[in-house]
Amino acid sequence: MRISWNWLLQHVAPDLAPQDAAEVLTSTGLEVESVERFEPIKGMLHGVVVGHVLECAKHPDADRLSLTVVDAGQGEPLRIVCGALNVAVGQKVLVATVGATLLMSDGGSLTIKKSKIRGQESNGMICAEDELGLGQSHAGILVLATDAVPGTPAAQYLGLTSDHVLEIGLTPNRTDAMGHVGVARDLLAALNHRRGLNLELSCPTSRLSRRTMMRAARRWRVRDAFACPRYAGVTLTQVKVGPSPKWLQDRLLAIGLKPINNVVDATNYVQHELGQPLHAFDADTLAGKRIVVRMAAADEPFVTLDGKERKLDAADLVIADAEKPACIAGVFGGAASGVSDATTSVFLESACFDPSTIRRTARRHGLNTDASFRFERGVDPEITVYALKRAALLLKEIAGARISSPVTDIDHGRRSRTEVKLSFHDVHALTGVSIPADQVVRILELLDFRVMDRNAQNITVQVPAYRVDVSRPADVIEEILRIHGFDQVPLPERLQVPPVIPGPLTIDRLRRQLGGHLSARGFREAMTPSLVSAKRALAGVEGDGALIHLSNPLSSELDVLRPTILHGMLGAVAHNLNRQARDLRFFEHGRTYVSASSGSKETEAMAFAITGKRWMESWRSDDRATERADAQEEVELMLRSLGLLATSKWNDAAHPLLDEAAEVEVKGARIGVLGRVKAYELRAADVSQPVFFAELDMDALLAACRAVAGGFAELPRHPAVRRDLSLLLPSDARFETLRAIAFKAERKLLREVGLFDVYQGDKLPADKKSYALSFILRDDERTLTDDQVDKAMGRIRSAMEQEAGAQLRG
């Protein structure tokens, strides 16, 4: 929501800078996101002044140039070389003096310097309108009226006024602040209460003669009182359509609206002034001179102002004439009934529409207009006629319009303002601030709340109609506090925060936890389609019957639901490889789908893919390629973060899409699978380098997490001891097996087992490899002695030799 500061000052006039006003408004709940300076002409023609041409002669060395002497109000006249053919003695012109920077209409800029042109000195530039950004013409210099005073700044002569625009992040409930008057009301209330001022709100006049009011016209009908509880209109004749006056154009330009003509601009002006949308019809185009507010016929054709033909829905409300729709109510006007340069008679509409009806229509047709924005949130039904009369009088002023019909008001609403009773004690209890009762009443009156009853303990107020979001005592107390000032709530000396006890782990919490972990590990989240090609998906399942086919696929490449996330992940990898990004780490949360005997089976899954170098290229790290062990490490780190690593186990597995595949179990339950993507899958996806992929079953992982009893333990009081073993092992030995053997052999003291070196080469037998293992031992009750450590390590070494065929290396 854009608010013009100059416009706002028409309704409330505080002695305040725009930035200070922004702080006040933000403190009332109308958050000002930015304050920007607006200039109708960029640069405001700084350095350009009115000049008087005193002399004009031909340039001795150029037929198309003239030598002029110009009085620019700076004492000594300026000698300027001019290339315009229409320059002449006696003219009043605009002169860019030395040092001025011109920002031209085509986007270019020019800084004026003292120079010589064909040997003649030039101390400025006599300007055309395009050089000043005032228009597109370059036919000659801009000639001013003869009464222009030399030396007058161009901005002052042209009536250019800069402005400040306040960008307000309006919340959906604050429909009352969708116009400048509503924002001014909040600013006035806050300043009058906090600073003891006595500012008054200035609202535009809407006085018409008594004879212009009547209840309803025979030619106007509202057939759906629910969708349109109030409808008002008036006919204007002798309308002269043309450009709006400069002041009105400046107001609209400041808030980002392009002036169109005086009729349309007037409706936009009132809409942004009062928050009430209006619409103007060319009255001569309305068949039968009738207005019927009705629901559209199903598939009824209608051409909107943007020239598109739309098929209306039976749930769309339209403003129609005797034959056809003229406007989609509250959303968009029709091309046939719009105001044009030839319009002389205008029917002006102001209405109150049901918000849900307008919202559904706007979404159905993909339209988002200033009018629908307001009607969707609800407008004040009590200003329908007021806004209409305000616009009619404005058109009388700027378009010479004659108000030639009574104002017709068809009002089906039986409205009664909401009354709320609250106690002064509750104000203090809910806000934590002691606000005197008289100040509470004063704040409410500043916000147009009407006091219906009051005693020492309680107050009953009537809520203004435009505050549709205020219905409870808590709502009224919030209004009191935001005007009093949220920053006036005192901070207690001691803050007591109750402990936050998390509820049971859910799939959403687990997804966020793992996503945060992987992001911290350098992964980027991917989102890939849940539809894949049956031809490619078939390789990963047992027969076509396991796939879930779409009845009406949009493409043969997207005809089944994915049985695994792998295919989409490979697509993301290929997309990045084709753009020279080769070191990739992606993860994705999503569902996989397979057909089962009981119907389709959906599985919550999380997958990741790693390809390229293990580390980002750096002089401090090696640049080796990612290996399968790196992917396994990432899975184990995830399990460690969930407290599941100690009960996990890896098993070799056969997988149709992965080589070197292994399944990970937690307490005997399968959690997921990991491996290197098979070469034919990489070729099918146009991926030219190895990819390591893991996919975890989130439901199984959640069940495993819930089975783990969480708890707290104090930090160890006694030091840990590390011992290392270098073992010669069979080439098929696995670290997971050795780790399990170690914990089985030493259950009491062993805390961690790590693998820090692996060697296979010509210095060892072909069927052997060497592992260097670290063992961390600790007793929580006492400091370990060398004898205890040696005995524990003896048990571990003996178990390794017997169960894994290990030999201790020297």
Side-chain angles (χ1 to χ4, degrees), residues 210-502:
R210 291 184 179 180
R211 74 174 190 84
T212 60
M213 292 295 297
M214 63 180 294
R215 291 298 300 169
R218 293 180 181 178
R219 296 193 303 272
W220 299 358
R221 289 288 180 268
V222 175
R223 293 182 181 172
D224 193 320
F226 173 79
C228 180
R230 191 169 190 183
Y231 189 86
V234 66
T235 300
L236 309 174
T237 57
Q238 301 179 14
V239 178
K240 298 180 180 64
V241 178
S244 296
K246 186 178 180 305
W247 65 266
L248 198 156
Q249 292 192 40
D250 286 347
R251 294 285 183 267
L252 297 181
L253 287 169
I255 61 172
L257 294 182
K258 181 181 178 181
I260 298 173
N261 59 53
N262 48 8
V263 176
V264 176
D265 293 351
T267 60
N268 284 334
Y269 183 85
V270 174
Q271 174 177 256
H272 287 269
E273 180 180 55
L274 302 177
Q276 170 66 47
L278 304 167
H279 189 69
F281 300 87
D282 186 331
D284 293 331
T285 66
L286 300 175
K289 305 297 182 183
R290 294 190 63 191
I291 288 291
V292 181
V293 184
R294 60 172 174 83
M295 305 308 292
D299 293 328
E300 188 171 7
F302 180 65
V303 179
T304 46
L305 279 169
D306 57 3
K308 295 182 179 179
E309 180 173 315
R310 305 174 190 271
K311 297 293 184 181
L312 300 180
D313 188 89
D316 293 336
L317 185 69
V318 297
I319 313 300
D321 56 24
E323 300 173 357
K324 61 190 181 303
C327 174
I328 302 177
V331 180
F332 212 21
S337 61
V339 173
S340 68
D341 291 344
T343 299
T344 59
S345 180
V346 169
F347 173 69
L348 196 59
E349 161 199 283
S350 179
C352 180
F353 298 119
D354 170 58
S356 59
T357 300
I358 303 304
R359 186 182 307 113
R360 285 192 292 267
T361 294
R363 299 297 176 272
R364 188 179 299 117
H365 296 288
L367 294 170
N368 183 23
T369 61
D370 282 346
S372 67
F373 174 82
R374 288 161 173 78
F375 282 126
E376 287 175 17
R377 290 157 175 78
V379 298
D380 181 4
E382 294 189 0
I383 68 166
T384 303
V385 172
Y386 171 66
L388 179 70
K389 293 194 288 183
R390 162 63 172 153
L393 289 173
L394 184 58
L395 285 172
K396 183 178 180 181
E397 174 189 343
I398 67 174
R402 178 176 177 271
I403 303 173
S404 56
S405 80
V407 172
T408 298
D409 180 18
I410 304 175
D411 190 358
H412 294 286
R414 296 181 179 179
R415 292 176 298 276
S416 58
R417 291 192 179 186
T418 302
E419 291 191 2
V420 178
K421 181 179 180 180
L422 70 152
S423 71
F424 295 114
H425 174 267
D426 288 344
V427 175
H428 173 71
L430 199 58
T431 64
V433 182
S434 181
I435 307 176
D438 287 343
Q439 288 191 27
V440 169
V441 173
R442 172 64 173 157
I443 290 172
L444 292 173
E445 289 176 340
L446 287 169
L447 293 174
D448 288 349
F449 286 78
R450 185 180 301 170
V451 178
M452 308 302 293
D453 185 40
R454 175 189 174 183
N455 55 40
Q457 289 78 35
N458 304 304
I459 183 174
T460 301
V461 294
Q462 190 180 77
V463 181
Y466 55 78
R467 290 310 305 270
V468 295
D469 60 320
V470 176
S471 59
R472 307 168 300 164
D475 299 331
V476 179
I477 293 172
E478 181 184 358
E479 292 299 295
I480 296 168
L481 183 58
R482 70 181 187 84
I483 297 302
H484 183 71
F486 291 114
D487 54 351
Q488 297 301 310
V489 178
L491 192 66
E493 293 182 1
R494 295 173 58 192
L495 282 177
Q496 296 180 345
V497 181
V500 178
I501 302 175

Side-chain angles (χ1 to χ4, degrees), residues 29-52:
L30 294 179
E31 183 182 0
V32 179
E33 298 174 344
S34 65
V35 179
E36 301 173 358
R37 181 178 173 84
F38 170 77
E39 297 173 341
I41 299 295
K42 194 172 181 180
M44 293 295 287
L45 302 181
H46 181 71
V48 180
V49 298
V50 174
H52 182 201

Side-chain angles (χ1 to χ4, degrees), residues 8-273:
L8 200 65
L9 292 178
Q10 291 185 336
H11 303 294
V12 61
D15 184 15
L16 210 61
Q19 290 76 10
D20 296 332
E23 292 182 6
V24 174
L25 288 171
T26 298
S27 72
T28 69
L30 294 179
E31 183 182 0
V32 179
E33 298 174 344
S34 65
V35 179
E36 301 173 358
R37 181 178 173 84
F38 170 77
E39 297 173 341
I41 299 295
K42 194 172 181 180
M44 293 295 287
L45 302 181
H46 181 71
V48 180
V49 298
V50 174
H52 182 201
V53 181
L54 302 176
E55 299 178 16
C56 181
K58 288 294 182 182
H59 193 293
D61 298 322
D63 293 338
R64 300 180 62 86
L65 298 179
S66 300
L67 302 179
T68 65
V69 177
V70 181
D71 176 11
Q74 299 178 356
E76 184 177 350
L78 304 176
R79 297 185 176 276
I80 298 174
V81 177
C82 179
L85 298 178
N86 65 328
V87 65
V89 173
Q91 290 175 336
K92 298 294 179 65
V93 293
L94 290 179
V95 178
T97 57
V98 173
T101 298
L102 301 181
L103 304 172
M104 294 176 281
S105 300
D106 61 1
S109 63
L110 175 65
T111 300
I112 305 302
K113 300 177 180 178
K114 183 176 180 180
S115 61
K116 281 192 174 184
I117 302 176
R118 294 289 184 92
Q120 298 295 320
E121 185 179 280
S122 185
N123 296 287
M125 176 177 171
I126 304 176
C127 302
E129 66 175 42
D130 65 328
E131 295 164 336
L132 297 170
L134 299 173
Q136 302 297 325
S137 175
H138 195 70
I141 60 171
L142 185 63
V143 180
L144 310 179
T146 56
D147 59 353
V149 178
T152 304
Q156 178 182 334
Y157 175 80
L158 296 172
L160 301 180
T161 305
S162 63
D163 197 355
H164 286 84
V165 176
L166 283 62
E167 186 78 39
I168 296 179
L170 199 63
T171 54
N173 65 306
R174 291 303 306 275
T175 58
D176 61 300
M178 292 190 295
H180 283 70
V181 169
V183 175
R185 185 189 298 114
D186 266 19
L187 181 61
L188 175 145
L191 292 176
N192 280 359
H193 169 70
R194 300 176 191 178
R195 304 188 182 185
L197 304 179
N198 194 28
L199 301 173
E200 294 185 359
L201 185 66
S202 175
C203 293
T205 182
S206 62
R207 292 185 179 180
L208 294 179
S209 61
R210 291 184 179 180
R211 74 174 190 84
T212 60
M213 292 295 297
M214 63 180 294
R215 291 298 300 169
R218 293 180 181 178
R219 296 193 303 272
W220 299 358
R221 289 288 180 268
V222 175
R223 293 182 181 172
D224 193 320
F226 173 79
C228 180
R230 191 169 190 183
Y231 189 86
V234 66
T235 300
L236 309 174
T237 57
Q238 301 179 14
V239 178
K240 298 180 180 64
V241 178
S244 296
K246 186 178 180 305
W247 65 266
L248 198 156
Q249 292 192 40
D250 286 347
R251 294 285 183 267
L252 297 181
L253 287 169
I255 61 172
L257 294 182
K258 181 181 178 181
I260 298 173
N261 59 53
N262 48 8
V263 176
V264 176
D265 293 351
T267 60
N268 284 334
Y269 183 85
V270 174
Q271 174 177 256
H272 287 269
E273 180 180 55

Side-chain angles (χ1 to χ4, degrees), residues 528 540 562-569 588-594 603-609 631 635 638 650 655 657-658 662-664 670-675 692-698 700-701:
T528 63
R562 63 184 179 191
T564 173
I565 298 177
L566 174 61
H567 304 297
M569 194 69 79
E588 179 176 3
H589 295 289
R591 292 184 179 182
T592 59
Y593 310 82
V594 293
T603 303
E604 288 282 349
M606 192 221 71
F608 69 73
V635 174
M638 282 194 289
W650 290 92
H655 195 281
L657 302 175
L658 302 174
E663 291 185 345
V664 60
R670 180 186 180 278
I671 297 297
V673 64
L674 173 145
F692 298 92
F693 175 79
E695 187 167 276
L696 304 182
D697 184 332
M698 293 292 284
L701 196 59

Side-chain angles (χ1 to χ4, degrees), residues 621-667:
S621 62
D622 61 28
D623 59 351
R624 69 174 177 83
T626 298
E627 301 171 353
R628 179 192 175 282
D630 297 319
Q632 182 172 330
E633 180 185 14
E634 296 298 341
V635 174
E636 291 176 347
L637 288 172
M638 282 194 289
L639 295 177
R640 181 191 293 274
S641 72
L642 298 173
L644 301 177
L645 182 60
T647 56
S648 66
K649 178 183 178 183
W650 290 92
N651 301 313
D652 290 337
H655 195 281
L657 302 175
L658 302 174
D659 287 328
E660 304 175 32
E663 291 185 345
V664 60
E665 295 180 357
V666 174
K667 290 187 176 180

